[in-house]
Amino acid sequence: TSQLKWAVNDNICDLFIDEVMICSNFLPLAFIQNNNPESKDEIKYKLIGLCGLIKNKNAFLNEKMVWTGNYIPAIYRTYPFKILYDKDNRKKIICFDRSSELFTEENDNNSFALFDKDGKASEFLEKKLELIISLENSIIRTNSAIKIITDLNLIEEWNIKLKTAENKVVPLHGLFQVKRDGIQNLNKDELFKLKECNGLELIYSHFCSQRNIHSFNNNIKHDIIKNDDGLRNLRKEVQIRQENEKIKEVDDLVKNLLNDVWLINKFVII
């Protein structure tokens, strides 16, 4: 089913590097601080998609709890399953949410068996496990890219403010973005390191996606305003270019992309 009732209160959802380009078409991509410092990856930030500005309301779910975006994030498609690690962070364990309403003991046309009569994983479960394993690999690549971006000191707070119907300005805390100036100051070796881990693709998708925050105007009684140094009116959205040239041309590639990209440094959302 395409119903995502369990995600109705989500203001954010986890995203991963293999889906940033498609998600950047409709979701604002941002970073949040990692609240699990003892995790296996030990990264300081997580990549997320912003699903709404009204507390406990997912703007991408309609009244029938059906996702209205162009693409359903993988984190939702793998639910209620998830890979966790044992206490030593060595052994992977496939777990599931026992409280999920997706599980039923009824055998009807709308349900799928997890195991066959012989107790083996059903075709449905096998496909779900393949997706979970694929997602786990994507998580590793995502964390690797984020670690490099963080080590290069490219993360800063994304200053967003909401202005209510009563003209009260309310700051929205906890979101982070990539520094544009930080990228311009990187040397060729650092740029190449970002390219090799797909960090450049992540960063440019993040830049392009920030304009999507304006779409939330359709869901809330707020307007969006900009700081004086905020939104730049650029010629067109970025077109991600594949670099097939020599390493020495990486610097030119980055400069060209930065000239084309939709960039929002700071928003004030009313």
Side-chain angles (χ1 to χ4, degrees):
T1 177
S2 59
Q3 289 185 326
L4 303 178
K5 184 178 180 180
W6 66 88
V8 65
N9 296 323
D10 288 358
N11 289 126
I12 62 173
C13 70
D14 291 347
L15 291 181
F16 306 101
I17 203 162
D18 295 321
E19 53 188 356
V20 292
M21 288 188 66
I22 188 169
C23 286
S24 68
N25 291 323
F26 64 96
L27 270 176
L29 275 58
F31 300 87
I32 61 171
Q33 288 183 320
N34 184 11
N35 293 323
N36 186 19
E38 296 182 356
S39 62
K40 188 174 185 295
D41 44 60
E42 295 182 348
I43 57 172
K44 295 181 179 179
Y45 298 95
K46 294 174 60 177
L47 177 67
I48 59 96
L50 191 59
C51 296
L53 297 177
I54 300 177
K55 187 176 180 180
N56 296 328
K57 180 175 174 57
N58 191 328
F60 290 95
L61 291 182
N62 61 21
E63 63 279 359
K64 296 182 179 180
M65 298 295 106
V66 174
W67 182 265
T68 59
N70 298 329
Y71 166 86
I72 302 177
I75 196 71
Y76 287 150
R77 288 184 287 123
T78 56
Y79 182 85
F81 301 97
K82 185 176 183 179
I83 290 182
L84 298 177
Y85 289 85
D86 64 9
K87 62 180 180 179
D88 296 322
N89 283 333
R90 293 180 180 179
K91 186 177 180 180
K92 296 178 182 179
I93 304 172
I94 296 180
C95 306
F96 62 92
D97 182 358
R98 296 182 63 181
S99 66
S100 173
E101 295 181 1
L102 293 177
F103 291 112
T104 178
E105 295 181 358
E106 300 296 329
N107 185 13
D108 54 40
N109 294 331
N110 295 321
S111 62
F112 297 91
L114 298 181
F115 301 94
D116 60 23
K117 296 179 180 179
D118 298 325
K120 296 181 180 180
S122 66
E123 182 179 355
F124 170 81
L125 182 56
E126 288 284 359
K127 290 182 178 179
K128 187 69 71 173
L129 293 177
E130 289 178 7
L131 178 59
I132 294 169
I133 293 172
S134 176
L135 178 59
E136 176 67 12
N137 293 331
S138 185
I139 290 173
I140 294 172
R141 293 193 298 273
T142 303
N143 290 344
S144 176
I146 293 176
K147 187 177 187 307
I148 292 175
I149 292 171
T150 304
D151 290 345
L152 292 174
N153 193 29
L154 295 178
I155 302 290
E156 67 179 0
E157 188 172 2
W158 187 6
N159 295 317
I160 299 177
K161 296 180 182 178
L162 306 179
K163 187 175 181 183
T164 67
E166 295 78 22
N167 289 323
K168 294 181 179 180
V169 177
V170 181
L172 182 62
H173 299 294
L175 294 179
F176 295 82
Q177 63 179 356
V178 174
K179 303 175 185 176
R180 182 193 180 214
D181 293 342
I183 295 178
Q184 292 177 328
N185 295 328
L186 295 178
N187 60 45
K188 292 182 179 181
D189 290 338
E190 291 169 334
L191 289 169
F192 184 73
K193 184 182 294 186
L194 278 175
K195 171 187 172 295
E196 287 299 287
C197 71
N198 290 330
L200 288 179
E201 180 179 312
L202 191 162
I203 289 171
Y204 297 134
S205 296
H206 161 62
F207 283 162
C208 287
S209 76
Q210 288 183 304
R211 75 192 187 280
N212 294 326
I213 203 164
H214 292 277
S215 65
F216 293 131
N217 275 347
N218 298 325
N219 302 98
I220 58 178
K221 295 180 179 179
H222 297 141
D223 297 320
I224 296 180
I225 62 173
K226 306 173 289 295
N227 289 336
D228 291 339
D229 59 346
L231 178 64
R232 292 179 57 196
N233 294 319
L234 301 177
R235 298 188 301 274
K236 61 180 180 179
E237 294 182 12
V238 65
Q239 295 179 346
I240 302 298
R241 304 168 186 172
Q242 300 295 325
E243 188 212 11
N244 296 317
E245 305 298 329
K246 297 179 181 179
I247 296 176
K248 67 180 181 178
E249 296 179 348
V250 171
D251 191 39
D252 291 335
L253 172 68
V254 171
K255 289 179 180 178
N256 290 336
L257 282 168
L258 281 174
N259 286 333
D260 292 341
V261 73
W262 276 83
L263 179 66
I264 303 172
N265 287 324
K266 295 180 181 178
F267 275 109
V268 181
I269 304 176
I270 327 178

